[in-house]
């Protein structure tokens, strides 16, 4: 019990001491806060001045960059596309006129790029490379035009040769047909000749038979006539002489 009482008394004394100490600490804390507030006001002003200076500096830099961007010429020309377009047109060309059109496009772009070379010095390498490729496209266009002309000549020669070959084939077929007709005529001629020979032979046999028949009939008639003549002559010899005629003339 005594220990509990002692502890209770100690606790009450401690609470009293804490209550007395609290106002002192509160006052000290208030004084410290005011001092800190006093210390932070200049710092805050300095920070605000620094941030304002930085903002002004950033704004000036942005304005300067914007002015520089406005001063710099905006060149969005893609110089490498022109040779590609020229070669594409050249590849699509199927006649000398189309090749001339593609070469004309390349020449116009060369003239444009030569003028741009005096203005756009930053892209001088690209412009020179494009001009070189365009000039090659012009030269290759001339070569393709010669090749197309050569191909046309070869096609014409081939057409003429094919036409000549066709004529030769037609002539060959005509000669073959004529030979077949002649050979068939030979066979017909031989057949007709055989028939004529057979008919002539038959006619000759018939004529020979007719001649034989006529000769046999003629011989019989002649024998009959000769026999009749002989009989008549014999009868005339055997008959008496007629009496002499009396003359009445004085």
């Amino acid at each position: 019990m005594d220990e509990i009482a002692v502890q209770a008394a100690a606790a009450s004394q401690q609470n009293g001491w804490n209550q007395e100490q609290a106002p002192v600490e509160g006052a000290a804390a208030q004084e410290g806060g005011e001092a800190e507030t006093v210390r932070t006001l200049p710092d805050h002003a300095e920070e605000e001045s620094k941030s304002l200076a930085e903002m002004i500096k950033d704004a000036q830099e942005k304005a300067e960059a914007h002015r520089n961007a406005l001063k710099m010429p905006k060149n969005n020309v893609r110089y490498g596309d022109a040779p590609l377009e020229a070669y594409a047109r050249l590849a699509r060309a199927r006649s000398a006129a189309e090749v001339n059109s593609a070469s004309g496009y390349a020449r116009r772009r060369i003239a444009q790029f030569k003028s741009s070379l005096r203005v756009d010095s930053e892209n001088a390498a690209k412009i020179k490379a494009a001009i070189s490729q365009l000039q090659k496209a012009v030269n290759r266009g001339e070569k393709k035009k010669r090749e197309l002309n050569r191909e046309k000549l070869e096609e014409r020669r081939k057409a003429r040769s094919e036409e000549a070959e066709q004529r030769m084939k037609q002539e060959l077929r005509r000669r073959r047909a004529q030979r077949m007709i002649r050979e068939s005529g030979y066979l017909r001629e031989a057949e007709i000749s055989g028939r004529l020979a057979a008919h002539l032979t038959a006619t000759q046999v018939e004529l020979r038979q007719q001649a034989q028949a006529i000769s046999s009939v003629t011989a019989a008639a002649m024998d009959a006539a000769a026999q009749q003549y002989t009989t008549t002559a014999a009868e005339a010899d055997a008959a008496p002489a007629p009496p002499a005629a009396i003359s009445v003339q004085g």
Side-chain angles (χ1 to χ4, degrees), residues 78-166:
R78 299 177 62 180
Y79 297 103
D81 291 344
L84 297 177
E85 179 64 22
Y87 283 125
R89 294 189 181 191
L90 187 62
R92 290 193 301 266
R94 292 293 179 271
S95 63
E98 293 177 354
V99 172
N100 289 333
S101 176
S103 299
Y105 168 79
R107 290 189 180 95
R108 290 192 300 272
R109 299 300 287 173
I110 288 172
Q112 292 175 0
F113 288 172
K114 284 183 178 179
S115 345
S116 300
L117 188 61
R118 294 190 294 269
V119 178
D120 191 3
S121 59
E122 293 183 357
N123 295 317
K126 294 180 180 179
I127 295 173
K128 289 179 180 179
I131 291 174
S132 176
Q133 288 297 322
L134 290 169
Q135 188 61 46
K136 288 181 180 179
V138 172
N139 297 334
R140 290 167 182 171
E142 295 297 325
K143 181 180 179 181
K144 183 171 183 178
K145 191 161 60 175
R146 291 193 298 270
E147 290 175 352
L148 288 174
N149 293 331
R150 191 180 303 114
E151 289 175 0
K152 283 186 177 180
L153 290 175
E154 290 177 356
E155 288 177 357
R156 290 176 183 174
R157 290 174 182 173
K158 184 178 180 181
R160 287 197 296 268
S161 63
E162 289 178 354
E163 185 178 357
E165 185 178 359
Q166 189 67 23

Side-chain angles (χ1 to χ4, degrees), residues 161-172:
S161 63
E162 289 178 354
E163 185 178 357
E165 185 178 359
Q166 189 67 23
R167 287 198 300 268
M168 290 177 64
K169 288 181 179 180
Q170 291 177 356
E171 182 67 19
L172 182 60

